[in-house]
Amino acid sequence: MEIIEGIYKRKSIRKFKNEPVKREDIIECLKAACQAPSPKHQQNWHFVVIQNKELIAQIAKVVEERHQEIAACAEDEKVQEKFMKLMKYYTLFKNAPVLVVVYAKPYFMIEEKILKSNKAKQEIIEALKSTQSAAQAIGAAVENFLLTAMQLGYGTCYMTGPAHAKKEVENLIGTVSEEYELMSMIAMGVPVEELPAKPERLELEQVVDFID
Ligand SMILES: Cc1cc2nc3c(=O)[nH]c(=O)nc-3n(C[C@H](O)[C@H](O)[C@H](O)COP(=O)(O)O)c2cc1C
């Protein structure tokens, strides 16, 4: 499949068949993820691949509990209800045969070090950090993963929603190391036949300006 064709065809898949995913295919996706650009080539990502059904179910349970906890914080019942309706978007991975947990290491910026040690204004340091370069690299890596998975016949969903339970998730799966932070998850599996259409995109004119 051509790259451009793949980009247009990819859509988020939230329902999976009860079929296994080959380890070699997961590795192919991970290799593609690692081909992504990263700031100063720091390759600040780490992936934890979970195929243990019981563990995936436990993770979904802690995410569900945290979701309920957050809903309960809302005083307005309608807001509570609305948030609870979103639960399926946070726990969709519970029926996926593969869950990839994606971590990022902070992006080390020499500029920040220079500015800090020379007592630069906090606002200059903040401007530098506002690009969230570490997270941007994760986005690039995940997109490579998703596109490769699709080419291999799998469906995926990129998720940050469940990260609201990152502590609880890490209690279950352990931490990579202290410097790594859980950023997102990828649900992966063979997609069911009946799938909703890919959502429409904004018109290019709404999101693009040309300066000649
Ligand atoms: C950073 C990021 C986080 C996302 N988190 C979730 C999520 O937690 N749950 C979910 O169901 N979809 C999640 N999505 C998928 C988006 O909802 C989806 O990409 C968007 O609606 C466009 O649909 P498409 O992927 O089918 O083109 C996320 C996507 C991105 C890029």
Side-chain angles (χ1 to χ4, degrees):
M1 194 185 301
E2 292 293 329
I3 294 176
I4 296 176
E5 189 192 345
I7 289 168
Y8 279 87
K9 250 181 119 177
R10 186 216 56 81
K11 61 182 179 181
S12 295
I13 303 298
R14 299 182 174 88
K15 284 192 180 152
F16 305 94
K17 286 185 183 170
N18 189 16
E19 284 179 23
V21 175
K22 285 190 211 140
R23 175 65 63 97
E24 69 217 51
D25 289 343
I26 303 171
I27 290 172
E28 204 60 48
C29 296
L30 293 166
K31 280 181 169 171
C34 295
Q35 291 301 312
S38 63
K40 294 201 180 74
H41 196 38
Q42 287 180 15
Q43 303 174 73
N44 57 298
W45 40 64
H46 191 93
F47 306 90
V48 175
V49 181
I50 305 169
Q51 291 182 275
N52 179 316
K53 277 188 179 178
E54 216 171 281
L55 183 55
I56 291 176
Q58 283 175 334
I59 296 171
K61 190 165 174 278
V62 295
V63 170
E64 202 171 312
E65 284 165 1
R66 171 48 57 90
H67 198 89
Q68 280 161 345
E69 244 175 72
I70 295 174
C73 291
E75 281 173 16
D76 185 335
E77 256 180 48
K78 279 194 180 135
V79 176
Q80 253 186 41
E81 263 174 46
K82 209 172 165 187
F83 188 65
M84 285 306 287
K85 276 192 186 147
L86 295 176
M87 176 82 90
K88 61 180 180 202
Y89 294 101
Y90 289 68
T91 56
L92 64 100
F93 61 86
K94 67 181 171 192
N95 295 316
V98 180
L99 178 66
V100 182
V101 185
V102 189
Y103 291 81
K105 195 162 63 164
Y107 165 49
F108 171 72
M109 276 184 288
I110 181 81
E111 304 91 307
E112 190 184 356
K113 202 175 167 202
I114 294 169
L115 291 171
K116 271 188 178 161
S117 55
N118 289 285
K119 299 190 181 67
K121 276 189 187 159
Q122 191 57 28
E123 84 182 66
I124 300 176
I125 297 172
E126 288 309 322
L128 204 68
K129 290 167 86 171
S130 66
T131 54
Q132 298 175 47
S133 303
Q136 293 204 36
I138 297 306
V142 171
E143 178 73 347
N144 279 5
F145 186 109
L146 307 186
L147 291 171
T148 307
M150 191 189 61
Q151 172 145 357
L152 297 174
Y154 301 103
T156 53
C157 189
Y158 186 167
M159 292 169 293
T160 51
H164 65 25
K166 64 169 82 173
K167 265 198 187 146
E168 292 74 9
V169 172
E170 283 181 339
N171 285 343
L172 288 168
I173 67 173
T175 44
V176 175
S177 83
E178 268 192 11
E179 52 177 346
Y180 281 90
E181 192 176 347
L182 191 160
M183 300 294 285
S184 55
M185 298 184 185
I186 306 167
M188 176 182 186
V190 178
V192 296
E193 315 290 344
E194 294 285 308
L195 290 167
K198 176 167 171 152
E200 293 288 327
R201 263 45 186 173
L202 295 171
E203 295 300 329
L204 217 52
E205 298 73 47
Q206 295 175 273
V207 294
V208 179
D209 290 312
F210 282 100
I211 301 178
D212 295 323

